[in-house]
Amino acid sequence: MSEENILEVKDLHVDIHMTEGLLTAVRGVNFEMKKGETLGLVGESGCGKSLTCKAILGINDKKCVPGGQILFDSEGLGKVDLLSLDQKGQEIRSIRGKEISMIFQEPMVAFSPMYTIGNQINEATRLHITKDKKKSKEISMEVMRKVGIANVEKRYNQYPHEFSGGMLQRALIAMALVCNPKMLIADEPTTALDVTIQAQILELMKELQKDFNMAILFITHDLGVVAKMCDRVAVMYLGKIVESADASEIYANPQHPYTRGLIGSVHKIGSAKEERLFSIEGTVPLAMNLPKACGFYDRCDARIEGLCNRAEPELVEIAPGHKIACFNCPHEACKAQRTKVEAALAAGKSPDESAGNGKDKNPSARTETSGAGKSPAKSIFKKKEGGRK
Ligand SMILES: Nc1ncnc2c1ncn2[C@@H]1O[C@H](COP(=O)(O)OP(=O)(O)OP(=O)(O)O)[C@@H](O)[C@H]1O
């Protein structure tokens, strides 16, 4: 594990054993996070973002089975593979909540309505920092002040229903930060808030990140939030990362057709009124019995027939720090992968060694198995009918 990294996720898989069959929800995800940086994990609903995060914390359902490696630079345990730890054992519990914290999108669900806010923040303080009641209350109140909760003495003894949505999200952030974690996982932390409160919370998170010098893994489908918050971005589709780069590079120079679609679907302030928003036709297919093909094939307007429906591209680096998994990309590294896979297919060999995860159950070409009941799309980027005038 590299010295500058706090986290390295290597070939992460999450398989879900359903009565209908095996759902390969996360299919070989690789990324790393440097100390103190913010990485945005972006993608549509159902592409595997939350399962990836829950695998890091070891809080996935029993039926969701992770594989691969999640290396974490822990204070107490040194460099450790989180997946090798007993997911209910003492070691992972000494990391979860203390060294790695998480905030969710729904603070109302995260807090129990039965206990006061102070009591719940204090629970983490007592568990991980000090058993001394007076001291732990002081620490909890201090962090409540830090996240901008006024009148802390009164607020400490109030119940969740007495807090507004924005204030409750601040309290949730306080609970996540009370142990001074090295890493924070923020799963859509502002989705449930209105835009002005959203902006305040994002600003607060940025300030606190500097104060606490922590890395943030930011899960979102909102590219506006990514632009504001993230140093780097990993775009996920159907359980895989299809593009990753610095945030500024992703916006200036998106290469994967899916990333271009996501960016095109965000309205930019200052753009002409007549300019219409793009929508990506179809939905993320269900990752069950996937054929050997690019996961985005059915929705892609840049697909290459006979190739994208027969092999799955791997992530290749096209510029320092910029990776993409697409056969139809003009960069040399992508062209080299394409040539190799085409040669393997022409020779009647499996292209698995050149590209594709080789774990798919159905080796047939992707024809009718489009998943999620979609008809094969002619173009993914359909201009919205009756767009802005
Ligand atoms: N406990 C579970 N049981 C069955 N299927 C699950 C479970 N958790 C997740 N899935 C499925 O795994 C896939 C990935 O889910 P995940 O929650 O990681 O997606 P996501 O990208 O975080 O979406 P969202 O933005 O909606 O949270 C989806 O098809 C989802 O329905």
Side-chain angles (χ1 to χ4, degrees):
M1 183 175 188
S2 149
E3 275 310 308
E4 58 180 1
N5 291 341
I6 186 157
L7 184 85
E8 289 181 7
V9 174
K10 293 177 184 241
D11 197 26
L12 178 69
H13 286 80
V14 180
D15 290 341
I16 307 180
H17 297 273
M18 316 265 285
T19 38
E20 302 83 1
L22 187 69
L23 187 77
T24 50
V26 177
R27 305 181 300 126
V29 159
N30 294 284
F31 64 86
E32 65 269 326
M33 288 184 69
K34 290 192 181 66
K35 291 167 186 164
E37 88 166 341
T38 305
L39 174 71
L41 203 51
V42 187
E44 278 165 288
S45 192
C47 65
K49 307 182 296 292
S50 297
L51 285 173
T52 300
C53 296
K54 287 181 184 166
I56 297 171
L57 289 162
I59 56 168
N60 266 321
D61 279 5
K62 221 162 104 190
K63 64 180 172 188
C64 305
V65 183
Q69 277 189 316
I70 299 177
L71 304 176
F72 179 67
D73 187 3
S74 156
E75 228 143 67
L77 301 173
K79 293 176 172 69
V80 61
D81 177 6
L82 299 178
L83 290 185
S84 72
L85 302 178
D86 172 4
Q87 301 295 291
K88 290 208 167 84
Q90 180 53 38
E91 288 174 319
I92 188 88
R93 278 192 277 137
S94 72
I95 292 177
R96 193 163 53 211
K98 183 167 189 287
E99 295 195 67
I100 308 178
S101 260
M102 183 157 184
I103 47 178
F104 300 93
Q105 55 178 283
E106 268 301 343
M108 216 50 198
V109 178
F111 281 110
S112 163
M114 309 289 286
Y115 299 95
T116 63
I117 292 286
N119 217 314
Q120 297 184 60
I121 296 176
N122 218 5
E123 204 178 309
T125 322
R126 282 215 304 273
L127 185 67
H128 294 298
I129 303 181
T130 174
K131 298 274 182 255
D132 184 314
K133 278 188 183 167
K134 196 164 167 247
K135 233 183 190 169
S136 96
K137 187 174 176 184
E138 270 167 26
I139 294 171
S140 304
M141 285 173 114
E142 184 52 36
V143 76
M144 283 174 78
R145 278 186 204 101
K146 254 198 183 140
V147 300
I149 297 176
N151 203 356
V152 164
E153 283 73 17
K154 182 178 162 206
R155 290 295 201 175
Y156 187 89
N157 293 313
Q158 285 185 327
Y159 287 86
H161 72 268
E162 296 176 86
F163 276 54
S164 67
M167 214 35 90
L168 208 53
Q169 194 57 292
R170 283 177 193 262
L172 190 60
I173 295 173
M175 188 155 76
L177 300 190
V178 75
C179 299
N180 202 352
K182 295 163 87 177
M183 188 178 153
L184 177 70
I185 298 177
D187 192 352
E188 306 270 11
T190 55
T191 310
L193 305 173
D194 69 53
V195 275
T196 44
I197 307 292
Q198 198 176 82
Q200 286 173 15
I201 295 290
L202 292 177
E203 211 44 60
L204 171 71
M205 286 182 69
K206 265 174 114 170
E207 278 168 30
L208 293 170
Q209 179 177 30
K210 268 193 228 137
D211 288 357
F212 286 75
N213 189 29
M214 65 189 166
I216 303 183
L217 180 56
F218 212 103
I219 316 297
T220 183
H221 55 258
D222 185 338
L223 282 160
V225 170
V226 170
K228 201 173 163 61
M229 296 296 291
C230 300
D231 303 309
R232 282 191 307 123
V233 185
V235 179
M236 262 186 103
Y237 189 81
L238 195 56
K240 285 197 157 193
I241 290 175
V242 294
E243 184 162 8
S244 63
D246 285 350
S248 53
E249 171 73 5
I250 283 270
Y251 283 95
N253 190 23
Q255 289 295 312
H256 196 284
Y258 180 58
T259 316
R260 290 204 299 265
L262 285 180
I263 290 173
S265 65
V266 178
H267 188 66
K268 294 173 193 71
I269 291 171
S271 55
K273 273 194 198 160
E274 304 72 41
E275 215 174 273
R276 291 176 177 188
L277 295 181
F278 285 117
S279 65
I280 306 175
E281 212 174 63
T283 51
V284 183
L286 198 64
M288 202 176 269
N289 294 321
L290 289 175
K292 275 181 190 167
C294 171
F296 195 53
Y297 168 78
D298 288 330
R299 303 172 77 188
C300 184
D301 66 350
R303 65 192 180 196
I304 303 163
E305 297 297 343
L307 175 61
C308 301
N309 54 335
R310 294 176 70 200
E312 190 161 26
E314 293 286 358
L315 268 184
V316 292
E317 191 159 44
I318 57 171
H322 191 167
K323 293 180 182 169
I324 166 181
C326 179
F327 288 127
N328 199 359
C329 164
H331 290 268
E332 285 312 315
C334 294
K335 279 204 247 169
Q337 175 175 217
R338 175 177 171 177
T339 307
K340 214 166 156 186
V341 171
E342 279 176 335
L345 289 171
K349 289 187 199 153
S350 160
D352 287 347
E353 288 144 40
S354 314
N357 60 22
K359 292 191 171 95
D360 299 324
K361 301 270 177 294
N362 180 1
S364 63
R366 191 169 197 141
T367 48
E368 291 176 3
T369 321
S370 57
K374 297 177 282 94
S375 56
K378 287 217 167 55
S379 160
I380 57 160
F381 305 140
K382 187 184 157 209
K383 284 183 176 174
K384 271 191 178 158
E385 299 298 311
R388 288 162 183 274
K389 297 239 159 71

